[in-house]
PDB file of all heavy atoms in Angstrom:
ATOM      1  N   GLU A 603      30.841-127.980  22.641  1.00 85.00           N
ATOM      2  CA  GLU A 603      29.958-128.512  23.673  1.00 85.00           C
ATOM      3  C   GLU A 603      28.702-127.643  23.754  1.00 85.00           C
ATOM      4  O   GLU A 603      28.777-126.463  24.103  1.00 85.00           O
ATOM      5  CB  GLU A 603      30.664-128.541  25.031  1.00 85.00           C
ATOM      6  CG  GLU A 603      31.871-129.461  25.093  1.00 85.00           C
ATOM      7  CD  GLU A 603      31.494-130.935  24.955  1.00 85.00           C
ATOM      8  OE1 GLU A 603      30.339-131.281  25.283  1.00 85.00           O
ATOM      9  OE2 GLU A 603      32.348-131.720  24.504  1.00 85.00           O
ATOM     10  N   LEU A 604      27.563-128.246  23.428  1.00 89.00           N
ATOM     11  CA  LEU A 604      26.310-127.497  23.503  1.00 89.00           C
ATOM     12  C   LEU A 604      25.942-127.226  24.958  1.00 89.00           C
ATOM     13  O   LEU A 604      26.278-128.002  25.854  1.00 89.00           O
ATOM     14  CB  LEU A 604      25.184-128.273  22.831  1.00 89.00           C
ATOM     15  CG  LEU A 604      25.276-128.477  21.314  1.00 89.00           C
ATOM     16  CD1 LEU A 604      24.062-129.263  20.820  1.00 89.00           C
ATOM     17  CD2 LEU A 604      25.356-127.151  20.589  1.00 89.00           C
ATOM     18  N   ASN A 605      25.244-126.108  25.185  1.00 93.00           N
ATOM     19  CA  ASN A 605      24.756-125.792  26.517  1.00 93.00           C
ATOM     20  C   ASN A 605      23.301-125.350  26.429  1.00 93.00           C
ATOM     21  O   ASN A 605      22.734-125.239  25.329  1.00 93.00           O
ATOM     22  CB  ASN A 605      25.629-124.714  27.175  1.00 93.00           C
ATOM     23  CG  ASN A 605      25.628-123.417  26.382  1.00 93.00           C
ATOM     24  OD1 ASN A 605      24.681-122.632  26.471  1.00 93.00           O
ATOM     25  ND2 ASN A 605      26.678-123.188  25.587  1.00 93.00           N
ATOM     26  N   ALA A 606      22.690-125.090  27.566  1.00 94.00           N
ATOM     27  CA  ALA A 606      21.256-124.782  27.609  1.00 94.00           C
ATOM     28  C   ALA A 606      20.898-123.517  26.844  1.00 94.00           C
ATOM     29  O   ALA A 606      19.739-123.328  26.448  1.00 94.00           O
ATOM     30  CB  ALA A 606      20.798-124.657  29.068  1.00 94.00           C
ATOM     31  N   LEU A 607      21.864-122.652  26.601  1.00 95.00           N
ATOM     32  CA  LEU A 607      21.582-121.406  25.885  1.00 95.00           C
ATOM     33  C   LEU A 607      21.237-121.640  24.419  1.00 95.00           C
ATOM     34  O   LEU A 607      20.795-120.705  23.730  1.00 95.00           O
ATOM     35  CB  LEU A 607      22.787-120.458  25.991  1.00 95.00           C
ATOM     36  CG  LEU A 607      23.104-119.930  27.396  1.00 95.00           C
ATOM     37  CD1 LEU A 607      24.382-119.109  27.377  1.00 95.00           C
ATOM     38  CD2 LEU A 607      21.939-119.092  27.922  1.00 95.00           C
ATOM     39  N   ILE A 608      21.407-122.874  23.949  1.00 94.00           N
ATOM     40  CA  ILE A 608      21.021-123.189  22.564  1.00 94.00           C
ATOM     41  C   ILE A 608      19.521-122.980  22.375  1.00 94.00           C
ATOM     42  O   ILE A 608      19.035-122.777  21.252  1.00 94.00           O
ATOM     43  CB  ILE A 608      21.419-124.638  22.205  1.00 94.00           C
ATOM     44  CG1 ILE A 608      21.385-124.863  20.687  1.00 94.00           C
ATOM     45  CG2 ILE A 608      20.519-125.634  22.910  1.00 94.00           C
ATOM     46  CD1 ILE A 608      22.404-124.099  19.917  1.00 94.00           C
ATOM     47  N   LEU A 609      18.766-123.021  23.473  1.00 95.00           N
ATOM     48  CA  LEU A 609      17.318-122.797  23.406  1.00 95.00           C
ATOM     49  C   LEU A 609      16.982-121.362  23.008  1.00 95.00           C
ATOM     50  O   LEU A 609      15.836-121.070  22.635  1.00 95.00           O
ATOM     51  CB  LEU A 609      16.674-123.119  24.762  1.00 95.00           C
ATOM     52  CG  LEU A 609      16.814-124.579  25.237  1.00 95.00           C
ATOM     53  CD1 LEU A 609      16.233-124.737  26.637  1.00 95.00           C
ATOM     54  CD2 LEU A 609      16.122-125.523  24.266  1.00 95.00           C
ATOM     55  N   LEU A 610      17.977-120.465  23.063  1.00 96.00           N
ATOM     56  CA  LEU A 610      17.760-119.074  22.665  1.00 96.00           C
ATOM     57  C   LEU A 610      17.898-118.875  21.156  1.00 96.00           C
ATOM     58  O   LEU A 610      17.614-117.790  20.651  1.00 96.00           O
ATOM     59  CB  LEU A 610      18.753-118.166  23.387  1.00 96.00           C
ATOM     60  CG  LEU A 610      18.642-118.097  24.913  1.00 96.00           C
ATOM     61  CD1 LEU A 610      19.742-117.205  25.480  1.00 96.00           C
ATOM     62  CD2 LEU A 610      17.268-117.583  25.322  1.00 96.00           C
ATOM     63  N   PHE A 611      18.322-119.899  20.442  1.00 96.00           N
ATOM     64  CA  PHE A 611      18.511-119.786  18.991  1.00 96.00           C
ATOM     65  C   PHE A 611      17.230-119.324  18.283  1.00 96.00           C
ATOM     66  O   PHE A 611      17.274-118.401  17.457  1.00 96.00           O
ATOM     67  CB  PHE A 611      18.994-121.119  18.424  1.00 96.00           C
ATOM     68  CG  PHE A 611      19.590-121.019  17.048  1.00 96.00           C
ATOM     69  CD1 PHE A 611      20.956-120.879  16.872  1.00 96.00           C
ATOM     70  CD2 PHE A 611      18.792-121.071  15.916  1.00 96.00           C
ATOM     71  CE1 PHE A 611      21.512-120.786  15.600  1.00 96.00           C
ATOM     72  CE2 PHE A 611      19.323-120.981  14.647  1.00 96.00           C
ATOM     73  CZ  PHE A 611      20.689-120.835  14.482  1.00 96.00           C
ATOM     74  N   PRO A 612      16.052-119.937  18.589  1.00 96.00           N
ATOM     75  CA  PRO A 612      14.820-119.448  17.939  1.00 96.00           C
ATOM     76  C   PRO A 612      14.506-117.999  18.272  1.00 96.00           C
ATOM     77  O   PRO A 612      13.922-117.288  17.447  1.00 96.00           O
ATOM     78  CB  PRO A 612      13.731-120.394  18.491  1.00 96.00           C
ATOM     79  CG  PRO A 612      14.470-121.621  18.905  1.00 96.00           C
ATOM     80  CD  PRO A 612      15.797-121.133  19.410  1.00 96.00           C
ATOM     81  N   LEU A 613      14.902-117.547  19.467  1.00 97.00           N
ATOM     82  CA  LEU A 613      14.687-116.150  19.830  1.00 97.00           C
ATOM     83  C   LEU A 613      15.513-115.234  18.925  1.00 97.00           C
ATOM     84  O   LEU A 613      15.077-114.138  18.563  1.00 97.00           O
ATOM     85  CB  LEU A 613      15.052-115.921  21.296  1.00 97.00           C
ATOM     86  CG  LEU A 613      14.826-114.506  21.837  1.00 97.00           C
ATOM     87  CD1 LEU A 613      13.370-114.085  21.684  1.00 97.00           C
ATOM     88  CD2 LEU A 613      15.262-114.421  23.300  1.00 97.00           C
ATOM     89  N   GLY A 614      16.712-115.692  18.553  1.00 97.00           N
ATOM     90  CA  GLY A 614      17.534-114.938  17.622  1.00 97.00           C
ATOM     91  C   GLY A 614      16.844-114.791  16.273  1.00 97.00           C
ATOM     92  O   GLY A 614      16.875-113.725  15.650  1.00 97.00           O
TER      93      GLY A 614
END
Side-chain angles (χ1 to χ4, degrees):
E603 296 293 335
L604 293 180
N605 61 79
L607 294 175
I608 196 66
L609 298 175
L610 296 177
F611 197 95
L613 182 58

